[in-house]
Amino acid sequence: MMEGVALKLQFRNPTHCSSLFSSTVRHSSPSFLRCSFRRFSSPFSVSASASTARETDNLHLGSLSLGHITRPDFPILHQEVNGSKLVYLDNAATSQKPRAVLKALQNYYEAYNSNVHRGMHFLSTKATDEYELARKKVASFINARDASQIVFTRNATEAINLVAYSWGIPNLKLGDEVIITVAEHHSAIVPWQIVAQKTGAVLKFVNLGEHEIPNLKDFKEMFSTKTKLVVTHHVSNVLASVLPIEEIVGWAHRFGAKVVVDACQSVPHMVVDVQVLDADFLVASSHKMCGPTSIGFLYGKSELLSAMPPFLEPPSRFEAGTPAIGEAIGLGAAIDYLSGIGMQKIHSYEVELANYLYESLRAVPNIHIYGPAPTGSVQRAALCSFNIENIHPTDIASFLDQQHGVAIRSGHHCAQPLHRALGVTASARASLYFYNTKEDVDYFIQALNDAVSFLDALR
């Protein structure tokens, strides 16, 4: 049965992240598909009112999940997109912001907007105090020994570049080896390609092994007296796999090598203790942890930061000019919000959601989900990258958005070498956060089946 007004869609290629690679990577594009069709009234369709009623019923029954409890804190989630209730499943790219963070930003600009570290008047002093308090909150959140070990940056990409240029170039020389996995985000690969070109250092890549995760046996065997640095993710933004960072750091330190950890997908979702991990550097982004965009942070061990040029006291020497003051304060508010919930509580809930998402997706015909299957000993992050046979992921993402209001990501997720290792050029990705619910997953699966049925019919 058909309903509504005929719509016209054009499925487009995803916008790819710019990158540098030692060899050319070819992209294949989905065929440009232009078609007119009407919105389907299918058994998979769930109206906003019906979904809301179902969630309300759950609340009345006392089944209060963390998603149901926290959802009211996020104004952006309560809207319709393309005539359907928004179901936001693109959290690995960026998270939504609670009212507490929005209010903190508004309060800064309305009440004490001023520059920091420069003025003696009330507004400047207040802004400086709040800015430095945010640094202390970050330090406490990841259990750094001292707030001076936290450097504010524009994002995790800038944080990695800071390490590459201020530590990498002065410390790496001809023949030194840098170990990186093929599953890294571009921002953790490209700077080290440039540093290797400048210094003569050699990049060694850990390939995928069983269950489509970096081969830990090969990883361990790569270490030698030439190894000077390891750059690795904590949680993969594509595979949903979690690497044993403590073990990897132990291997590296036995050879005197330093370790840079990309924690963008772990800090927002689990307890991360830099003293337990013993990583030398760790980076994360505010916008993935309920905070504002345009700010992230670098954690570094004090002795390393102190030895890195330019010659001022850390961390201020790495924060030249007027910093992102309001954004730092907003990040502090996000940390307060997350801490108020409890990171272990968030992690436990997301493990449950991750398993539910994985098992629900497995029932979709002709699907391949990348990364390890969840088991009693293997935990996946709350995301799934997948492909469905003979359907381009961008066509799926476009249909889900325009016909069902479901937001997922398609493309290579800034991880082209990983997709090349997987033998594909792109994938679709649904990623959850603690404000998502099992109802979101159910609606997504229903919409995905609708998309598959429609797109299969076009072939």
Side-chain angles (χ1 to χ4, degrees), residues 248-316:
I248 293 169
V249 170
W251 302 338
H253 286 176
R254 280 196 288 275
F255 287 91
K258 307 304 180 189
V259 181
V260 181
V261 176
D262 175 356
C264 287
Q265 300 294 340
S266 61
V267 165
H269 302 283
M270 62 179 68
V271 176
V272 173
D273 186 324
V274 292
Q275 294 190 57
V276 171
L277 296 180
D278 199 27
D280 302 286
F281 300 101
L282 180 142
V283 306
S285 278
S286 163
H287 71 96
K288 297 183 192 292
M289 52 189 293
C290 295
T293 57
S294 300
I295 190 162
F297 65 86
L298 165 68
Y299 158 81
K301 289 183 175 178
S302 297
E303 63 272 20
L304 297 175
L305 292 178
S306 295
M308 290 161 57
F311 298 102
L312 294 173
E313 290 300 313
S316 59

Side-chain angles (χ1 to χ4, degrees), residues 119-137:
M120 296 300 296
H121 56 81
F122 173 81
L123 296 183
S124 180
T125 302
K126 171 72 171 172
T128 300
D129 288 347
E130 293 298 321
Y131 180 77
E132 291 303 327
L133 178 59
R135 193 190 310 276
K136 292 177 181 177
K137 290 177 180 178

Side-chain angles (χ1 to χ4, degrees), residues 126 141 144 158 220-221 287 364:
K126 171 72 171 172
F141 193 65
E158 184 177 81
K220 187 175 182 179
E221 291 176 353
H287 71 96
V364 177

Side-chain angles (χ1 to χ4, degrees), residues 77-273:
L77 299 178
H78 306 280
Q79 63 174 297
E80 287 193 353
V81 171
N82 293 323
S84 299
K85 176 189 172 185
L86 170 65
V87 176
Y88 185 78
L89 305 180
D90 193 21
N91 294 284
T94 198
S95 65
Q96 300 304 338
K97 323 307 175 193
R99 283 189 176 87
V101 171
L102 304 179
K103 288 180 179 178
L105 287 167
Q106 183 179 6
N107 187 42
Y108 165 69
Y109 286 110
E110 286 186 348
Y112 57 98
N113 174 44
S114 185
N115 217 322
V116 295
H117 303 141
R118 290 171 175 81
M120 296 300 296
H121 56 81
F122 173 81
L123 296 183
S124 180
T125 302
K126 171 72 171 172
T128 300
D129 288 347
E130 293 298 321
Y131 180 77
E132 291 303 327
L133 178 59
R135 193 190 310 276
K136 292 177 181 177
K137 290 177 180 178
V138 173
S140 177
F141 193 65
I142 62 171
N143 197 32
R145 291 184 184 277
D146 192 86
S148 66
Q149 295 177 308
I150 304 300
V151 178
F152 284 131
T153 59
R154 285 185 299 173
N155 43 50
T157 299
E158 184 177 81
I160 293 172
N161 275 272
L162 172 56
V163 177
Y165 284 92
S166 194
W167 185 90
I169 289 178
N171 287 280
L172 295 176
K173 62 183 185 300
L174 182 68
D176 286 345
E177 294 180 351
V178 178
I179 299 177
I180 301 179
T181 84
V182 296
E184 300 309 312
H185 191 279
H186 291 171
S187 63
I189 296 177
V190 175
W192 301 106
Q193 289 179 316
I194 296 171
V195 168
Q197 291 171 358
K198 290 179 178 291
T199 64
V202 177
L203 301 186
K204 299 182 70 175
F205 285 86
V206 180
N207 290 315
L208 300 183
E210 191 178 9
H211 307 304
E212 298 175 329
I213 62 174
N215 189 313
L216 293 178
K217 182 175 180 291
D218 290 350
F219 204 151
K220 187 175 182 179
E221 291 176 353
M222 276 190 182
F223 285 93
S224 72
T225 54
K226 293 182 179 180
T227 307
K228 295 298 184 288
L229 183 70
V230 176
V231 182
T232 183
H233 61 276
H234 192 178
V235 174
S236 170
N237 73 320
V238 175
L239 305 172
S241 51
V242 183
L243 291 184
I245 296 300
E246 290 178 62
E247 287 185 50
I248 293 169
V249 170
W251 302 338
H253 286 176
R254 280 196 288 275
F255 287 91
K258 307 304 180 189
V259 181
V260 181
V261 176
D262 175 356
C264 287
Q265 300 294 340
S266 61
V267 165
H269 302 283
M270 62 179 68
V271 176
V272 173
D273 186 324

